Amino acid sequence: MPASPLTDPEILQALTAENRLLPSPSAVALELMRALERRDLGMRDIANIARKDPALVARMIQLANSAIFAGMRPAVAIEEAVLRIGTGGLARLAIALSLMQASKATNIEGFDLRRFWMTSIQRGLVFQYLSQRVGKMPSAEAFSLGLLADVGQLAMAVSLGAQAVYIGAEGSVQALLAQQLQQYGYDQGDASAVLLAHWGFPQTLAQAVRIRPQTPGAAGSREAQLGECVALSRSLQLRPGSVAADAGQMRSLAEHLHLSESDLQGVLASAAQDMAGMAAVFEMKLEQAEVDTEFDRLRRALATPPLLDEPIADEVLIVSKDAALRLGLRQALESAGHALAEAATPAEAFEIVQIQGPRVVVLDWADGDSVAALCRSLRTERGPRIYLLALSRDMEQHAVLNALDAGANDVLFAPVLPQMLIAKVQTGARATRVLAAAEAERSHGLRTLRTLEQRNAELLQAAGTDELTGVGNRRALDAFLPPLFAQAAAEGQPLACLMFDLDEFKRINDRLGHDVGDQALRAVGRVLRQQSRGMDFVARVGGEEFLMLCPQTTEEAAMRVAERIRAAIAVPQADLPPLSVSVGVALGAAGFADAASLIRAADQALLQAKRLGRNRVCLAPTASSAAARN
């Protein structure tokens, strides 16, 4: 008798009521999760909790220097790791690290624990890179969610035995889930969601790992989009024997998330490059050759166009006024497994081709000029994509030439041998299928080329974009400023440089945590983008420092812009502490030797604004006035 679906509390009770205990997070990891709910705890408090487990501290510092944060200077202290990973990311990664350690002491007969954690690490990396492209969550939190998305599979294997999560050679994940739901009242996706919620993960993240939809009609919500990202990362898994199904699911999910094939290939390349190193953080040894072999399988699956094995390729249209002839042809072709359509007139046949699109047509040439006209029309319209077989009762040469001139691929003479008819039809079906596959591959290649061109343009833009705030970065500034300064100097046009520093940023991070600090930086970046013109350039040039370049802007206008932005940032915002910025303004290009001198002048004005009490705008003296005073 099928089991009734269980509620979440019932699922948790079922998982924890068995004789064998589940691998559980460490006490320190759970304390870190509870600490996230307290707004009075800052970065140092979180670091002090982590210090209770020296092994955890070492792992966190190693994680802070891992591929997740590639390109940043090495972290050497737990405070730096907390600042980099974020309090939420650190707590959730602590859950994952302690679970992996605890599971090593668990012996589950028939369950490949190494494979489970290898797949989990790969899924975590894939989800991290997917999240970067879709923009759903910070890297560390994305990695931890992807890593633990299938922890319910481990839980069911421990509490119910490996047979509860076993997929046979001919089985599928969907069949396994249906079996689990029928037998136990929940599946491994439900188990994952329940456990993550039990350990303190936000409900939005916990519910995103369910494999079955939890809330009908939630399409487009953040939870639904996170769920789609999790599903896509699952489809890009190291699971042998499931390439074809995975490739189809990859394409479908990627299209829904507005990701191109090159996006997915980029995700796989990044994950493959980082996986061996990340596995080492989790005390798992992986050879790079092993990783490359697994990822190459997925890359090939993505790069291969779907096979054209559609029923339409083997459907045959018979065109004849002779009902007895149509019946005889039908019986012969149906015995070979072909789907059949019939038409008594050329007009009816033309309509069937337009609507149903069969690629093999058998024409009764005894119907005269009307069928010859149909043959010419179909050849003109469909070209080589359709196979036209003429049946002739006249064995003279001129009849064959007439049929071939009208566009027929071949001629059969009546009475027709069934074996010959079937052989000709199948040859034609194969030829049209091969042609269609070649066209699809060529189209696929063109789409891939266009996508790569678009992706290259996006990568060029991304290389100059600050990931957190969406404004330019130091690299973009170094490329943009020199020619802009040179142009302003050559044309005698003013160029305003505005430097912004978010006041008391360190206190925000220490008191409220790195996540709130990131939100504050995003808010400043958002205001700068909103207040800038199309010709202006905005960049984040330091931890909490931003710069705006305003061409053709006078001193008076620059001071108005700076004051307007300062006031806009000071407007109270929900979920954020009071924010303010200090601003330094310098006006060039005349009077400054180079662009660097202009930046230094704005920076000195910014320091003056800080010294005078913050939350104000100061104007740098021009180079000429400063020289006159000296």
Side-chain angles (χ1 to χ4, degrees), residues 156-340:
M156 292 185 73
V158 171
S159 61
L160 299 169
Q163 77 284 348
V165 296
Y166 175 71
I167 302 177
E170 301 299 325
S172 68
V173 173
Q174 293 304 319
L176 172 65
L177 298 176
Q179 178 182 326
Q180 289 173 344
L181 188 60
Q182 182 180 39
Q183 188 169 353
Y184 307 113
Y186 63 95
D187 63 33
Q188 59 197 45
D190 297 327
S192 296
V194 167
L195 289 173
L196 292 185
H198 177 61
W199 293 329
F201 277 64
Q203 280 296 317
T204 300
L205 301 187
Q207 296 304 322
V209 304
R210 287 191 191 269
I211 303 175
R212 292 183 292 112
Q214 179 70 1
T215 308
S221 67
R222 181 171 184 264
E223 179 181 318
Q225 290 176 328
L226 280 174
E228 289 173 344
C229 283
V230 172
L232 182 52
S233 68
R234 282 186 176 120
S235 75
L236 292 165
Q237 281 190 191
L238 307 177
R239 194 170 61 246
S242 56
V243 172
D246 282 353
Q249 188 179 23
M250 291 174 209
R251 291 189 178 94
S252 176
L253 288 166
E255 182 179 350
H256 202 256
L257 289 166
H258 307 291
L259 296 171
S260 66
E261 180 189 311
S262 64
D263 287 322
L264 296 188
Q265 293 285 9
V267 165
L268 290 176
S270 299
Q273 180 179 357
D274 298 339
M275 187 168 171
M278 186 59 70
V281 175
F282 286 84
E283 297 184 326
M284 176 179 290
K285 182 175 176 57
L286 286 180
E287 298 295 336
Q288 189 61 45
E290 178 184 9
V291 174
D292 290 342
T293 299
E294 297 284 7
F295 277 95
D296 284 345
R297 177 180 62 84
L298 291 169
R299 292 192 195 100
R300 287 194 300 271
L302 273 178
T304 303
L307 294 175
L308 290 175
D309 191 22
E310 48 195 318
I312 198 171
D314 292 329
E315 183 178 20
V316 181
L317 170 62
I318 301 170
V319 185
S320 176
K321 292 186 293 185
D322 188 338
L325 177 64
R326 296 200 307 269
L327 177 60
L329 296 176
R330 168 183 285 278
Q331 290 173 343
L333 293 171
E334 282 183 340
S335 67
H338 292 282
L340 270 297

Side-chain angles (χ1 to χ4, degrees), residues 112-124:
D112 191 340
L113 190 63
R114 180 181 184 275
R115 185 80 185 185
F116 171 81
W117 284 115
M118 183 172 71
T119 300
S120 298
I121 293 169
Q122 182 254 5
R123 188 176 52 250

